[in-house]
Amino acid sequence: MTAATPYLGRRNPTVKAAILLAASLATLGFLDPRPLLGLYALAVAAVGVAGRVPPRTLVLGQVPFVVFGVGLVAVNGLSRPGTPIVPGSPVSAEGLTVGVALALRGLVIGVLTIGFLASTPPRDLIVSLVQHARLSPRYAYPVLAGHRMLAAMPARWATVRAAQAVRAPLRRGRPRFGLSDAGRAAFALLVTSIRSAERIALALETRGLGERSRTVWRPVPIGRGDVVLALVVLVAWVAAAVVDLGL
């Protein structure tokens, strides 16, 4: 790791995954929107500062969670019985409170997930899981190979389309593509992907994954910083639980 790597990027992926899972499960127990709002603000600040996630990425990554949250607020506000927020209104205060709490749960989990994905290289995650979570290399490395295949697909698609553009008729100086061209490009991408998968499967098989204990190149250690991160998250969630219980 270089000195420019953000704090979250230097933390062990297995520890971060365990923290994400534990924090997500603990968040499901909160019923009061106030501690969830505080956790959400802390999570956004932590991901932005400690993870150096660009604001645009952070905002765009939360759009699906915001849309889902709006639906939760609307459904619970209209369907749950209780005191109307305005006399004669179909929206109940109790339903609105529950809906906001559910929406904030999703936002908190979403922000933590964005921070985890943005600060965790896939290779380090797989190696860490093999080292510390005892995940079998028979399953771990094929997953990494599949991820890299998916990441390479946009470049392959661009190559296929560039090859089609050489032979395509021109319209106003630009290649003209139709639905049939897109279908042929998709078929070409499928064929090349299948061939690549066969080569990768053969390469993994020749390495005898899972047959015996293996050494790890560039291991991913667990250090004091990982313990500090876990303790900070624990303190934040305990404080939120105290507020939620009204202690």
Side-chain angles (χ1 to χ4, degrees):
M1 296 292 181
T2 63
T5 304
Y7 177 80
L8 287 180
R10 298 193 300 271
R11 302 284 66 83
N12 187 279
T14 299
V15 174
K16 289 190 291 185
I19 291 174
L20 174 61
L21 177 61
S24 300
L25 293 176
T27 302
L28 299 179
F30 293 136
L31 301 176
D32 190 342
R34 293 174 300 171
L36 289 170
L37 184 60
L39 288 176
Y40 176 68
L42 288 175
V44 170
V47 170
V49 176
R52 296 183 192 171
V53 178
R56 184 174 183 274
T57 301
L58 196 56
V59 171
L60 292 178
Q62 294 180 85
V63 169
F65 298 97
V66 171
V67 174
F68 182 65
V70 170
L72 288 174
V73 173
V75 169
N76 284 275
L78 293 172
S79 62
R80 288 183 179 269
T83 305
I85 57 174
V86 177
S89 172
V91 181
S92 65
E94 291 80 2
L96 201 60
T97 300
V98 172
V100 170
L102 294 175
L104 287 173
R105 287 181 191 175
L107 287 174
V108 171
I109 296 173
V111 170
L112 296 178
T113 304
I114 292 171
F116 174 77
L117 295 177
S119 64
T120 307
R123 180 263 169 197
D124 290 351
L125 174 60
I126 293 299
V127 171
S128 179
L129 290 175
V130 171
Q131 274 187 267
H132 306 293
R134 299 296 184 265
L135 181 64
S136 172
R138 186 187 298 273
Y139 305 108
Y141 292 109
V143 170
L144 179 60
H147 175 272
R148 289 179 173 174
M149 273 191 59
L150 289 175
M153 276 192 177
R156 292 182 177 179
W157 175 263
T159 301
V160 173
R161 296 298 273 176
Q164 286 184 328
V166 174
R167 302 186 301 271
L170 297 180
R171 174 187 295 174
R172 296 179 182 177
R174 302 184 63 180
R176 181 180 60 189
F177 293 115
L179 291 177
S180 59
D181 297 309
R184 284 192 290 268
F187 181 74
L189 180 63
L190 176 63
V191 171
T192 57
S193 298
I194 292 174
R195 289 176 177 174
S196 297
E198 291 177 349
R199 290 193 295 268
I200 291 173
L202 181 60
L204 291 172
E205 184 178 359
T206 57
R207 282 163 173 75
L209 296 177
E211 295 296 329
R212 58 187 182 277
S213 60
R214 305 177 64 87
T215 57
V216 176
W217 180 58
R218 290 193 305 168
V220 184
I222 294 179
R224 289 179 294 180
D226 300 299
V227 177
V228 172
L229 176 62
L231 290 176
V232 169
V233 175
L234 177 62
V235 170
W237 255 253
V238 169
V242 170
V243 174
D244 185 67
L245 295 175
L247 300 178

